[in-house]
Amino acid sequence: MTVTLDDLRRVKLFAGLAPASLAALAPLASARSYRDGDSILLEGEEAAGVLFVLEGAARVYRTSPEGREQTLILLHAGDALNLPTPFAPSPVAPASAVAVGDSRLLALPLAAFRRAASEIPDLALAVMGDLAARLRHFTRLTYDLSLRSVRGRLARFLLRHASADAPSPVRWTQEEVAAQLGTVREVVSRTLRAFVREGLIRLDRQRILILDREALERESES
Amino acid sequence: MQDWALPTIHPQECTGCGLCVQYCPTAAVELVDGKPVIVRPADCAYCGLCEENCPTGAIELAYEIGFGAA
Ligand code: SF4
Ligand code: SF4
């Protein structure tokens, strides 16, 4: 699938690049479409290129030996998927990624991306900015997983994903929520029931409705 | 998005054991050719017992998250 300059412009890292730089990258880039749930990258495999989400979304996760999944990050259109790879000592992927919804990704060969970053200072700075944001994300995630209780994590998840706008809300299964929180479905189910009993939330068929936002916010600090 | 959500069934993961049918309090789900089908959608209470009792995670309920009044 050919890659247009417009495709490249959708990548946040490339937003500030001069048209000539973009035009130089375009012939090296390739794009690929994925259906919802398709595997993009497998943990332990060598990544052939650095990947960027053009459309849709990608979920990066790791699987424990017992088969439990921990979602590490959810990436959206414009985000880089494996930005450290071209600069890492090994191209082996430390985590897996799957498409969330029908998605399209752009790939650039590792060497070509490294070269571009060494030649274009604006790109090098943008890469550092992106890596710094990612470092911050993983610092927060480490704190969440090691120091916050499941109740706290679930409370924060509900607050963060509650949408006031009804038209096209995202639906989450308890299994998906568990993968986000680093726990199992049964614990999510039990904690939701506890929140209902305590009057923090209400279940209205397929809706989880937050009733006591302040109490849930207090809970999310635990 | 439809307002009357129903459990999602993943036939590839389903072993056809029928536990979901056995535990469904309203008989909304039945096995058809060995796989579960929500045959009486209007009767499904979205209670989640099918999901809870499915050994393979083949039947799932999805939830929207929002703000509401008590
Ligand atoms: S959610 Fe409850 S009522 Fe609906 S099919 Fe499953 S067990 Fe039956
Ligand atoms: S309980 Fe699960 S595996 Fe068994 S028939 Fe129902 S959906 Fe299939």
Side-chain angles (χ1 to χ4, degrees):
Chain A
M1 207 188 285
T2 53
V3 172
T4 63
L5 286 189
D6 278 340
D7 285 334
L8 281 172
R9 274 196 205 99
R10 282 192 209 172
V11 174
K12 283 184 210 149
L13 277 184
F14 302 152
L17 293 194
S21 308
L22 284 179
L25 285 175
L28 304 170
S30 56
R32 206 180 133 184
S33 295
Y34 298 83
R35 306 287 299 273
D36 180 39
D38 278 356
S39 167
I40 298 169
L41 204 61
L42 276 180
E43 179 184 336
E45 271 188 1
E46 285 196 9
V50 52
L51 301 167
F52 303 90
V53 182
L54 290 180
E55 286 162 32
R59 188 170 69 86
V60 179
Y61 66 96
R62 280 194 70 143
T63 311
S64 75
E66 302 84 48
R68 208 171 98 192
E69 271 185 19
Q70 169 69 50
T71 297
L72 299 175
I73 193 165
L74 199 61
L75 300 164
H76 302 280
D79 290 341
L81 190 128
N82 57 343
L83 193 52
T85 309
F87 309 102
S90 142
V92 170
S96 306
V98 288
V100 179
D102 294 343
S103 305
R104 202 157 77 90
L105 274 85
L106 180 146
L108 276 169
L110 298 179
F113 187 78
R114 226 173 9 238
R115 190 160 0 95
S118 70
E119 286 169 359
I120 310 168
D122 280 350
L123 180 58
L125 277 175
V127 166
M128 283 190 247
D130 197 282
L131 291 176
R134 221 37 76 72
L135 195 56
R136 193 167 283 197
H137 168 85
F138 284 112
T139 306
R140 250 192 326 253
L141 184 66
T142 310
Y143 172 83
D144 264 18
L145 292 178
S146 52
L147 299 172
R148 225 186 274 272
S149 66
V150 171
R151 280 179 65 100
R153 278 179 244 162
L154 183 59
R156 217 161 75 101
F157 179 89
L158 293 175
L159 287 165
R160 202 185 315 148
H161 292 94
S163 61
D165 45 327
S168 63
V170 181
R171 280 195 189 143
W172 298 87
T173 66
Q174 294 183 5
E175 189 76 44
E176 287 164 345
V177 175
Q180 293 269 337
L181 303 189
T183 181
V184 291
R185 197 195 60 77
E186 287 73 12
V187 173
V188 169
S189 167
R190 204 180 320 133
T191 312
L192 281 173
R193 281 201 299 269
F195 283 176
V196 169
R197 262 197 320 275
E198 294 161 30
L200 300 180
I201 62 168
R202 176 163 69 86
L203 289 183
D204 174 20
R205 196 173 173 85
Q206 74 269 25
R207 291 188 189 87
I208 297 172
L209 297 172
I210 295 173
L211 299 180
D212 191 340
R213 189 177 186 153
E214 273 161 37
L216 212 55
E217 269 161 11
R218 274 198 303 280
E219 196 63 56
S220 75
E221 297 307 321
S222 69
Chain B
M1 207 168 270
Q2 100 242 46
D3 212 47
W4 192 252
L6 292 171
T8 309
I9 295 156
H10 308 286
Q12 328 79 271
E13 280 150 54
C14 170
T15 61
C17 69
L19 279 172
C20 52
V21 176
Q22 221 166 300
Y23 279 94
C24 176
T26 66
V29 60
E30 269 180 23
L31 290 191
V32 176
D33 293 331
K35 300 283 173 180
V37 174
I38 311 290
V39 287
R40 277 173 284 274
D43 289 348
C44 171
Y46 220 70
C47 66
L49 280 170
C50 48
E51 177 179 47
E52 234 157 86
N53 290 287
C54 173
T56 64
I59 186 160
E60 287 188 313
L61 280 65
Y63 296 88
E64 296 158 18
I65 305 166
F67 295 97

